[in-house]
Amino acid sequence: MHAQTFFIAFFGLAAVWFGVAVFRTSSMVRSALALLFSQTAIGAMFLAMQTEFLGVLQIMMMATEMSIMAIFMVMYMMDPGGLGAMEMTHQKRFSIAAGAIGGGAALAVAVLTPWGPVVAQAPAAAQQTRALGLELLGRSMLVFETAGVTILTAMIAATAVAVRRREGKAAR
Amino acid sequence: MTAALIAALVTGAALFGVGLYGALSQTNLVMIMMGVELILAGALVNLAAFWRFLHPGAYAGQMFVLIVMTVMALEMAVGFGVATARFRAKGSVEMEEAGELKG
Amino acid sequence: MIHGARRGAWSGLRRLTARAQAQMLAAIVVPGPEVAAALGLDLAGAGLLPAASPRHASVLVVAGALPAQLREAAAVLYAQMMRPRAVMALGAGTLAPLPGADVVAELSQPALLDAVRRLRRAIAGGAFRRDAAGFDAPVLRSRTEYVCPMHPEVVRDEPGSCPKCGMTLVPREAQDEGGHAPDAVDASTGMEMEAGRGGGESAYTCPMHPEVVRDEPGSCPKCGMTLVPREAQDEGGHAPDAVDASTGMEMEAGRGGGESAYTCPMHPEVVRDEPGSCPKCGMTLVPRAAAAKDAPEAGHAADAASEAAGGRHAPMDPSGAEHSAAAHTGMDHGAMDHVAGHSTFMSMVAVTRDLPRSPDGLPMDWIEVPFGPLFPGLPGGLSLVLTLDGDTVAGAAAQAPVAAAAAAVADAGGRGLPAAEFARRLGAMDPLAPVAYRLLARRALECAAGVEPDSRGARARAGAAERERLASHLAWLAVFLGRLGLEVHARRSWGLAASMRGADAARIAGLAAAVRVLVRGVRRTPLLETRLAGIGRLAADGRLRGPVARAAGVAADGRVGDPVYGALGFEPVTRPDGDARARLAVRLDEIEQSLRLVRAAGVLDDSGVPGIGAASGTGEALVETPRGGARLAVSVERGRVTAARLDTPSTVLLERIGSLVAQCELGDALTAVASLDLSPWEVVA
Amino acid sequence: MTTVAVLAALLAGAYAVAVLEAWARTGRMRPGGPLFAAAALIGRESFVPRKPDRLFFEAAPVLLLVAAVLAAAVLPWAPGLVIVDLATGALFVNAAFAYVLVALIMAGWGPDGAYAMVGGWRFLGQLIGYSMLIVMPITAVAMRAESLVTTVIVDSQAGVWNIVYQPLGFVLFFIAAMALAFLPPFDLPTAPGELAGGVEAEYAGRRLAVLRLARALLVVAVALATTVFYLGGWRGPWLPPWAWTGLKTLAVAAAMFALGGRLPRVREAHFLAWCWKLGIPLALLNIFVVGLLVLAVP
């Protein structure tokens, strides 16, 4: 069981390290891929926590998601290669303070709360997948369907916002 | 065993802090979205840890993780939709230049 | 022993890899595979593997004599190849600046086979050398030159200020000669050259304020950005970004002096599109160029920065600092007052405002990507520079640096050329269609001299012209299918095209079955029609000729009305659509038609010098070359050609490329260009 | 021991795939070709462009290699002959394949060259097309097996192979798998004759050797996945199970190469349109039909 703690901590550190790297590099593609590897490390943490389905899902989804993010960064940023080492931050002191306070508060809660007894054994992976499937199509079906419909709506809405307006209706 | 839970929660807290810093400090819409993604990732880690170490019998916990992943995807879709529209209209997704969006 | 050996001592492993390399010869052909095929060389048949990029090639095959411009491009290509590398010269004359050929042979398939054998031995035994020398050529050397960001025509060798607007000149890397390639990315294929050649001068400049140039790293006194090495900016690739500023500027400069922005002499941040008065001080606004002359020189930049840091609107140098000036204009909207004193902030609105907008409304970084003159997949000698907006082509500049038509006919030298010499020159002009041009010269001279051609000779010459059309169309088909990734058909097409050279009627009859199988195979290729439909649409007009016009529904064919062809039973082939699909269909039909015509002619002969004696007069002739009708008008005095005017089909096609590829996806654009079957050699410059 | 055996099988498969690919490109079958090619590449100069993103440039071929091997790691060659028999194997294959995209984007961005960059981003566009057609047919396969475990999926085809049970899903998956491995006619990111090799354009020498090896392994992985999901995996008479898997995998790879050499390279816009307007509805139909079959035929 020490191995589990070790791997959780290891991948956790990796996730945070890559997370910090996101805002420390000036190359946008590096930034997006750092976020990807941060999310991949989180997926690996899931695997270390024996939530196999979620871990693999996280690893899969984020690869595509962050790559798409990378291309949008390259499209919409002035200096995606980071050659100019542009300053792209504002209200830095306030942000650091907010980040530190927010993170510190969460940390305090994490450390100080008496979490009670911890369950040693997780269900087997195959059993989990099966149970999650039953949950999805049973008790949580409404939530699941709502999420599905919401993402469809968001896709349509985002596309509608992004496509060019017709001539004549163009705002500017 | 509790150490594993704490390790996961500490990671979650750190990701939240980094994400919050990023979301507040960046001037570019896409970079802000990255910060938000990190905040949500922190939430993911916590949810998964709670499920695994406290209530491995309650699959609603895993369900919750799925929902947060959906929200991340949603945020991306809507964010890029807005970014594209802004970029088309103004040629910029910089927050400093979105002054007219203020109330 | 080869010139391009890799540095290092021999060892067992190296002996092994040298032997393997001798087996895996990936070749890149100069000027191009279609020229090699026209010369009767089947490279794949000789065991040379195709190489997609010079990085993956180990042999540079030079087929035929190269004009000087192509030799330079070939030297660049050679520098891009990885060592061990070799040069194989087939019937080539001078090679400089390329290093000497490692294997020399004649222009024929047996000689090529033998040359490949010799090359394998040379590589197996000489791939490594302890004292291998580097390769250097003037074309690879670069120097720093200084240009005005606003007036690109101002180029100086030393730093200074622009005589037109007073701006400080900015350095850029240039080739030592010619100055085609402004940066380290070379013009021929867009790849970077060999590392480790003399590094350019490293000046540091601000990505946003090109007028700021320092010798050392640091930050920009105007906006606080970290200065970047100037070299980095000039490169392709990532640099699209850093180029932002410079590209934007270049575009603007390209638009010429017609740009009418008005600014206040006292408040440079006030910029208007129309004349008027300054809202701050009421002064009349002046055109910006005029304001620039009165503005303080760039040397004041440091003061400006300190004042800006103090939170006041600084009198920035308005000429170069247009972006910053515009940024301030943006700030006047009022909502962003809190950033007014923030000297590090760069307005993206301002930076992107002056970028040209693509029709999709998303102003992206535009990068210029060179394709050619030796790009695999385009005709060798065609130099195409595409401005890419994402993967959409925003603009194109096509040139034919090897265009030889004007030189071939213009050199009348006062005394004129002997008729035979004139015909020889015209035939040597275009390696892709020597027979047609020799025939053209002959017809024009005969017309001028009033000689009636004998009908049997004319028939034989028509047969030879059809054989050439067959070979040319097959070679085009090979290039085109290769571009589309249809390797199987392309390979067969290359072999057939090469074997057409010098073939007599019986041999062609023997090949006819294989050609028909190929044509049928291409016609039956699934999805090919869908793939090509709508690409490269050109409407027919009076100037288009040849297969391109016939694919647009116009029976523009020099063979129509020719009694010789009439006797052979010729009917022109047309298709209505005018796109790449129609061009493919027309050429496939013409391949079959030429087979029929060759059989009908029975005998092929393009020899014989026009015997016009000491005749005088003027004559004009039209010959349908594989690319369309070429027209030649000559004046002959006492058997010598004193004046000639040549009009070739590719000249028109070259002009059309720009409009043809605008707003196409990159792959479609290249397909459209390839579908034209343009011969850069016959372009009349 | 199992791991070593599977890795050896993968390498052997990559070798055979390289022979097949050379056959498709040059029309000649040279059994020793890949050995020569590898030895030649290792002896040639390698090269780092002048202003690279060095990290990406060096890491991309390795990441591609890792992605291909990871995908193959959960696919069984025979009962028990699998590196990890994950409970979510079918999903994990997807996850590993997703990193092919990341590797190509890195390879495209890394060398600081226009051709490579266009090639890398093109693959992202290609992914938008094919990714759904990888996931949705696998969903139908998992529905029939009532499991995501790859060995269970093979066992579920004891009676009828999936290629017969859900031919529509097979066709969609086959096409998407070709696009995933950027085989012709979906070789938009490399596109010889168009982008001068695209993402491969700036790689040379030993780096190119790694990239080519990774690509060959990727082809093996997608062919193996097709075998496991649709062709009954190791099932077959007379021969030992691993031999059946190997044969079927090579047959799938050969079919991909043969098909690729006879089709023109797709246009990106066409590919996207086909995938979304035709492929995804068909994939949904496939899921629906398989669902009915699963319910109707117990």
Side-chain angles (χ1 to χ4, degrees), chain C residues 223-568:
Chain C
C223 63
M225 274 179 71
T226 307
L227 300 182
V228 296
R230 184 68 216 185
E231 287 181 338
Q233 272 206 352
D234 275 350
E235 259 165 56
H238 292 229
D241 347 327
V243 183
D244 274 340
S246 54
T247 321
M249 290 226 166
E250 275 160 21
M251 296 293 170
E252 210 167 308
R255 283 209 299 267
E259 234 256 303
S260 54
Y262 293 84
T263 182
C264 171
M266 302 309 292
H267 298 96
E269 69 275 23
V270 174
V271 181
R272 295 282 178 273
D273 289 334
E274 296 160 343
S277 58
C278 174
K280 297 200 176 171
C281 61
M283 275 178 74
T284 307
L285 299 182
V286 294
R288 185 172 301 133
K293 275 188 194 127
D294 301 331
E297 290 279 314
H300 294 259
D303 306 347
S306 65
E307 279 175 298
R312 287 167 39 205
H313 283 300
M316 285 203 179
D317 177 4
S319 49
E322 181 186 356
H323 297 312
S324 349
H328 282 247
T329 321
M331 286 166 200
D332 287 343
H333 291 314
M336 296 188 290
D337 279 346
H338 65 287
V339 284
H342 206 271
S343 62
T344 59
F345 175 68
M346 266 182 332
S347 167
M348 196 162 163
V349 170
V351 172
T352 54
R353 193 189 56 174
D354 294 323
L355 289 181
R357 290 253 166 170
S358 34
D360 62 6
L362 295 170
M364 302 275 156
D365 297 326
W366 288 19
I367 50 174
E368 281 191 355
V369 184
F371 291 85
L374 296 173
F375 188 79
L378 286 180
L382 175 66
S383 163
L384 190 63
V385 178
L386 298 181
T387 306
L388 291 185
D389 173 23
D391 66 351
T392 308
V393 176
Q399 282 181 333
V402 296
V409 296
D411 190 10
R415 294 185 53 242
L417 282 171
E421 169 68 8
F422 178 78
R424 192 198 61 75
R425 278 195 185 198
L426 206 60
M429 171 191 88
D430 184 1
L432 300 178
V435 174
Y437 281 104
R438 259 201 308 274
L439 182 59
L440 179 65
R442 185 191 181 106
R443 288 251 189 95
L445 292 171
E446 280 174 347
C447 172
V451 181
E452 270 304 307
D454 65 310
S455 71
R456 189 182 149 71
R459 207 176 154 91
R461 281 192 291 277
E466 289 311 309
R467 175 183 65 200
E468 183 175 82
R469 189 181 327 277
L470 204 52
S472 174
H473 281 9
L474 281 169
W476 169 83
L477 192 64
V479 173
F480 194 61
L481 296 179
R483 260 205 46 65
L484 295 173
L486 288 166
E487 299 282 347
V488 180
H489 291 321
R491 214 166 39 236
R492 275 162 56 199
S493 201
W494 278 127
L496 288 170
S499 47
M500 287 296 163
R501 180 182 164 85
D504 56 16
R507 172 128 174 79
I508 292 177
L511 292 170
V515 173
R516 291 214 173 86
V517 168
L518 171 71
V519 168
R520 212 173 313 134
V522 174
R523 283 209 189 104
R524 283 191 191 156
T525 299
L527 300 179
L528 187 57
E529 303 246 307
T530 329
R531 169 71 176 80
L532 294 175
I535 291 184
R537 213 177 272 276
L538 274 184
D541 60 22
R543 297 188 61 208
L544 280 186
R545 278 165 285 176
V548 177
R550 293 196 283 277
V554 180
D557 197 318
R559 293 170 288 179
V560 176
D562 185 331
V564 178
Y565 278 98
L568 295 176

Side-chain angles (χ1 to χ4, degrees), chain C residues 193-235:
Chain C
M193 282 178 284
E194 206 164 350
R197 83 191 145 75
E201 196 149 312
S202 52
Y204 293 82
T205 177
C206 171
M208 291 293 122
H209 301 96
E211 72 276 24
V212 174
V213 182
R214 299 279 180 276
D215 289 334
E216 297 162 331
S219 57
C220 173
K222 296 199 177 175
C223 63
M225 274 179 71
T226 307
L227 300 182
V228 296
R230 184 68 216 185
E231 287 181 338
Q233 272 206 352
D234 275 350
E235 259 165 56

Side-chain angles (χ1 to χ4, degrees), chain C residues 6 16-17 19-21 23-24 44 47 49-50 52-53 55-58 81-85 128 173 184 188-195 197 200 231-232 235-241 367 369-371 375-377 388 390-391 482-489 491 525-528 530-533 535 665-668 670-671, chain D residues 22-28 30 32-53 108-115 117-118 121-122 184-185 187-188 190-198 200-206 208 212 257-270 274:
Chain C
R6 189 175 175 190
L16 210 64
T17 174
R19 231 167 273 158
Q21 286 177 32
Q23 289 305 308
M24 311 299 288
L49 306 169
S53 119
R55 292 263 183 266
H56 306 164
S58 49
M81 288 163 58
M82 297 282 105
R83 272 178 289 236
R85 56 195 176 193
F128 292 89
E173 212 174 84
S188 60
T189 57
M191 310 224 124
E192 265 192 90
M193 282 178 284
E194 206 164 350
R197 83 191 145 75
E231 287 181 338
E235 259 165 56
H238 292 229
D241 347 327
I367 50 174
V369 184
F371 291 85
F375 188 79
L388 291 185
D391 66 351
R483 260 205 46 65
L484 295 173
L486 288 166
E487 299 282 347
V488 180
H489 291 321
R491 214 166 39 236
T525 299
L527 300 179
L528 187 57
T530 329
R531 169 71 176 80
L532 294 175
I535 291 184
E665 194 265 337
L666 172 62
D668 291 356
L670 291 173
T671 306
Chain D
W23 160 70
R25 278 185 68 225
T26 64
R28 264 180 297 178
R30 293 177 66 181
L35 268 188
F36 280 110
L41 278 182
I42 289 167
R44 294 177 65 71
E45 267 181 333
S46 195
F47 161 90
V48 179
R50 192 123 61 100
K51 291 272 184 292
D53 193 323
W109 182 259
D112 184 18
Y115 303 139
M117 191 162 66
V118 172
W121 293 129
R122 267 182 171 193
D187 56 345
L188 286 170
T190 50
E194 193 166 300
L195 289 177
E200 281 184 358
E202 300 285 350
Y203 284 94
R206 54 178 191 279
L208 184 63
R212 293 256 163 96
F257 284 124
L259 197 63
R262 279 162 185 78
L263 291 175
R265 184 177 301 130
V266 295
R267 286 162 80 176
E268 182 122 31
H270 285 177
W274 290 332

Side-chain angles (χ1 to χ4, degrees), chain D residues 15 23 48 65 86-87 92 107 111 115 144 160 185 209 211 257 259 271 280:
Chain D
Y15 189 89
W23 160 70
V48 179
L65 193 73
L86 276 185
F92 186 86
Y115 303 139
R144 185 187 176 200
V160 178
L211 200 60
F257 284 124
L259 197 63
F271 183 63
I280 290 181

